[in-house]
Structure formats: structure tokens, C-alpha cells
Amino acid sequence: MSTLNKDQSDYWNGEVGQRWAAYHQALDAAFAPFTEALFAGAALDPGDRVLDIGCGAGDTALIAARRVGRSGRVTAADLSEPLLAVGRERAAREAPDAAPIEWLRADAQDHAFEPQFDHALSRFGVMFFEDSAAAFANIRRALVTGGRLRFLCWRSMAENQWVTLARDAVLPLLPEIEPPQPGAPGPFRFAAPDTLLPILEAAGFRAIACEPIDRLMRVGATPEAAADFVATRGPVARLLRERDPALQATALKIITQLFTERFGKGPVDLGAACWLVSGHT
Ligand SMILES: C[S@@+](CC[C@H](N)C(=O)[O-])C[C@H]1O[C@@H](n2cnc3c(N)ncnc32)[C@H](O)[C@@H]1O
């Protein structure tokens, strides 16, 4: 495997990948409204060949495999071995009658995929490339003529209440935090379509569309579960990583209190905003 995305590989194979693997059910449940939008217009037909980029623990690869059926094929590519391991195990258990899935540990930026795919799709897996232009050109090469690209990426942090609410509450504990570098790999990198569209055009995609999708995301059935979710996965978790355990415990308490004040004992549903990006070769 290439070492171009070594930092990301270390990140997703280390503690963070283990955590995403352990909590994949809660993540899949939280992302479900977006997953539905991803597949609603995806036009996956029986027999189609699908590439899932940054497939994580395999939720979308499994859905694709069921959609294209036994005559289809799915390649689920990711840098993270712990997440691929969950996907492999789930496929054997949850989708024995679906299309065969190849679980591929690969850097989607430069892996030499067979140019055979009818669809390349991704749920939040395309914002972490070292060189996005090279990565989307590589993905374009993997598609047949007329092949379709379809992925979800986050809009700005400010539009994602599931991040800002908890982030604003814990920032006073972290006075040295600097805003992320524009264009650096990270969840909000493609918040502005004018950073993304030229990359996709240069890669050779046509009829590119960016549709805003706004949904409520259930981050937890209780304030405690929701606080655990945001403090251990996603952008707020990134801020709290490798901190003093006492600071992490204080942050968790602050977030739990905040959610309890807002939602009582009930489920925590927070605003989430992303782009559904589509195009074809
Ligand atoms: C935010 S997670 C999303 C995972 C999954 N698609 C989901 O929705 O649950 C991002 C994923 O992209 C993968 N990833 C990041 N950079 C990658 C690259 N260059 N090639 C392949 N996968 C990559 C990570 O390992 C991680 O699994």
C-alpha cells in the first residue's frame, strides 16, 4: 500500500479506527438519514460493479451489495484494517446472499483499481486525501465510460450543530486551539463547493451536482449516550484526543449537562448538513 497518506493511515489504523470499529452501530444509526439520501438516487442495478471509497466498517458496501445482488460485485476500499475487519465479519453474517464484496486495504488516492466500476460511492470517506486532485483522477480511472460518482461530504462546521454545540461548550477548556487550515485533510475540507468542483472537473467528471442535504442526526438515545458519541467520535473527539484524562472527563460532564438541559432525559437530535455530490464520466 502507498505511504502517501501515512498520517491518515496511522490515524485510522490506531485508536481512532479501533473506536470507530467498536461503535460502528451507533455511527451507522446516526448517519442513516444521509445514507438513505446517498442511495435514493444512486440507480444501482442488479449486476452493477460498485467501488466504495473509504468504506469504514462496511455499512454502505453492504447496502450496495444487496442492491446489486449476486450478479454484481462490490470492492470496499479503506486504509483502516480494524474497520475492514468489521466489514468482513458483517458481510459473512449479514449479507450472505448479496454480491461478493472484496475488502481491500488500499489508499484510494493511488491504488491501481481495475477500470471496471459502474459506480464509485462514498459516505464521508473522500475528505482525507493528501492530494485530492490525484485521488479523484484515480477514482475517475476506475470507472467505466458513463460510470457514476456519488458521495457525501460535510458542509461547514457552522452548519453542523451536532459538532458546534458541544465544541463551543468545551472550547473554554482548550484555549490554544487554532482553526483548521483551509484545504487540509479533514471532515469540513469540501464545505465550499468552489474548492471541490474544479477538482472534480479536472479529474474528468461531467454533470457535477452538489445537493445540500439537511437532516436531524440522532447522536444518542439519551444525553449520556449522545455526549459519549460526540466526545469519542468526530471533530470534538479530535480536539479531546491525547488530553489529560481529567480534562476529558470534565469535557464529557459539560457536554452531558448541556444535552440534559436541552433535551431532558430523551433522545438528542441535532442538525447536520452535508453535500450530496454526483457526477459521471
Ligand atoms: C469518516 S470515516 C467514514 C467511514 C465510512 N464510510 C462510514 O461512513 O462509516 C472516513 C474513512 O475514510 C478512510 N480513508 C481516509 N483516507 C483514505 C484513503 N486515502 N484511502 C482509502 N480510505 C481512506 C478512513 O480509513 C475511514 O474509514
Side-chain angles (χ1 to χ4, degrees):
M1 200 177 59
S2 102
T3 52
L4 282 169
N5 288 289
K6 184 172 181 320
D7 289 354
Q8 290 296 324
S9 179
D10 291 349
Y11 182 80
W12 292 104
N13 279 290
E15 185 211 334
V16 172
Q18 304 279 1
R19 223 179 245 183
W20 275 65
Y23 290 106
H24 73 87
Q25 282 164 325
L27 284 156
D28 293 339
F31 292 158
F34 292 109
T35 311
E36 204 183 311
L38 178 68
F39 282 97
L44 298 185
D45 291 323
D48 281 355
R49 291 151 299 174
V50 181
L51 173 62
D52 187 342
I53 306 148
C55 64
D59 196 39
T60 47
L62 288 163
I63 295 170
R66 289 190 200 98
R67 288 280 178 95
V68 301
R70 288 187 84 95
S71 59
R73 291 198 55 149
V74 175
T75 294
D78 203 286
L79 291 172
S80 170
E81 190 48 45
L83 286 165
L84 288 166
V86 175
R88 274 186 208 105
E89 191 270 320
R90 286 177 73 184
R93 188 163 34 86
E94 294 176 28
D97 297 325
I101 305 178
E102 178 193 13
W103 300 94
L104 182 66
R105 186 168 176 192
D107 184 341
Q109 181 170 320
D110 67 347
H111 182 80
F113 297 108
E114 284 288 311
Q116 56 161 339
F117 294 98
D118 303 296
H119 306 267
L121 59 83
S122 182
R123 186 180 78 182
F124 307 127
V126 296
M127 301 88 86
F128 306 97
F129 300 123
E130 175 77 31
D131 181 341
S132 297
F136 280 108
N138 194 44
I139 292 162
R140 157 80 183 75
R141 278 191 290 276
L143 287 165
V144 297
T145 304
R148 292 161 184 252
L149 173 72
R150 193 170 173 86
F151 66 84
L152 292 164
C153 60
W154 297 110
R155 301 217 305 275
S156 68
M157 191 192 299
E159 292 167 282
N160 279 284
Q161 187 197 26
W162 70 278
V163 179
T164 53
L165 205 57
R167 188 177 191 274
D168 291 349
V170 300
L171 272 186
L173 301 175
L174 310 163
E176 79 291 359
I177 289 296
E178 287 176 14
Q181 293 287 336
F188 303 108
R189 174 193 222 163
F190 296 135
D194 57 1
T195 57
L196 176 62
L197 297 184
I199 293 173
L200 296 179
E201 278 161 10
F205 289 103
R206 295 185 291 140
I208 302 157
C210 275
E211 182 191 346
I213 309 280
D214 292 272
R215 298 284 187 272
L216 280 179
M217 205 163 91
R218 174 147 305 175
V219 287
T222 62
E224 290 77 14
D228 180 61
F229 184 109
V230 296
T232 56
R233 282 145 279 170
V236 177
R238 273 180 198 229
L239 294 181
L240 297 173
R241 260 182 88 218
E242 293 170 8
R243 301 278 179 177
D244 174 359
L247 184 146
Q248 292 175 337
T250 306
L252 187 64
K253 203 170 150 194
I254 290 172
I255 301 168
T256 310
Q257 259 169 11
L258 174 73
F259 288 165
T260 305
E261 278 159 26
R262 288 242 180 163
F263 297 94
K265 291 185 175 149
V268 177
D269 293 331
L270 297 173
C274 68
W275 294 117
L276 175 56
V277 182
S278 57
H280 63 81
T281 60

